[in-house]
Amino acid sequence: TGTARDQVRLANQEGPLATGWISIIPSHANHTIIPDADFRSLCRFWLGLPLLPEGVTLLECPACHEPFDAFGDHFATCGKNGATRRHNALRDAWSQTLVSANIPHAKEVPTTEGDRPADILLVAWDKGRDVAVDFTISSPCTLDCYPLSPERARRPLGDIEARQTAAQTASCQQMGWGHQPAGYSPW
């Protein structure tokens, strides 16, 4: 039960990695410290509570001029307000994890045509073949997902991964790489 947004949020929180951020042990050495204010905001977002205090409204995003919402969906999805930074933070977190596990890789490797399907290139990963891992972050609460439903909530990442595969497989094959799309939701 609950609102359509609550149902979508819960559907996204069922994923196998969805609760990983909660179980991370805080460590300065591993850069896994989340400042208190950020942690409180993340918890409110995770629980489906408004991020803005009652009575406080922000008129519009300074980057795209779309209206803000009290739950923070716009903060997590605005393409003009930090989407590249969010994408690169995900890529860098994966890279740091791979470094700590001594797994050879490279970041942002271009093909001969200049596109970059390899946010991370896993070196000699699949039976000696390099594999391009192509990250994307998509929220099920963007306008193109309305009306919201748990079924539609699961579809955007699959759709995006399928588009990435269709767009990048040929250029990866020319390089002798495998291609693995990796879609993430803010939840």
Side-chain angles (χ1 to χ4, degrees):
T1 63
T3 66
R5 185 182 181 279
D6 287 330
Q7 291 175 23
V8 165
R9 179 178 55 81
L10 291 172
N12 274 258
Q13 291 173 346
E14 292 172 350
L17 301 176
T19 58
W21 70 277
I22 297 171
S23 62
I24 298 295
I25 297 171
S27 164
H28 287 287
N30 294 327
H31 306 286
T32 57
I33 301 293
I34 301 174
D36 290 346
D38 293 348
F39 187 78
R40 283 193 299 273
S41 294
L42 287 168
C43 287
R44 293 185 71 79
F45 184 73
W46 181 260
L47 294 170
L49 301 172
L51 295 181
L52 300 175
E54 192 170 326
V56 173
T57 58
L58 297 174
L59 298 179
E60 64 181 31
C61 173
C64 73
H65 306 291
E66 291 291 322
F68 280 129
D69 63 287
F71 294 102
D73 293 329
H74 185 83
F75 292 115
T77 62
C78 179
K80 294 181 180 178
N81 190 14
T84 300
R85 185 175 62 245
R86 290 187 295 273
H87 173 274
N88 290 347
L90 175 64
R91 178 205 60 209
D92 293 346
W94 270 102
S95 179
Q96 186 175 9
T97 302
L98 294 168
V99 165
S100 69
N102 293 318
I103 296 173
H105 70 285
K107 293 191 306 187
E108 295 293 340
V109 179
T111 65
T112 53
E113 296 173 11
D115 56 344
R116 295 183 187 269
D119 292 318
I120 289 186
L121 185 68
L122 297 170
V123 178
W125 184 255
D126 182 23
K127 299 176 186 167
R129 184 173 70 157
D130 296 346
V131 174
V133 181
D134 194 0
F135 294 115
T136 190
I137 303 171
S138 178
S139 174
C141 290
T142 57
L143 290 176
D144 59 349
C145 294
Y146 280 89
L148 291 177
S149 72
E151 296 76 28
R152 287 179 62 99
R154 291 181 183 97
R155 201 171 74 213
L157 289 178
D159 291 351
I160 288 171
E161 287 179 342
R163 283 196 306 270
Q164 283 180 310
T165 298
Q168 302 294 349
T169 298
S171 62
C172 285
Q173 286 175 341
Q174 287 177 348
M175 298 295 293
W177 303 340
H179 179 259
Q180 179 60 55
Y184 287 84
S185 160
W187 282 301

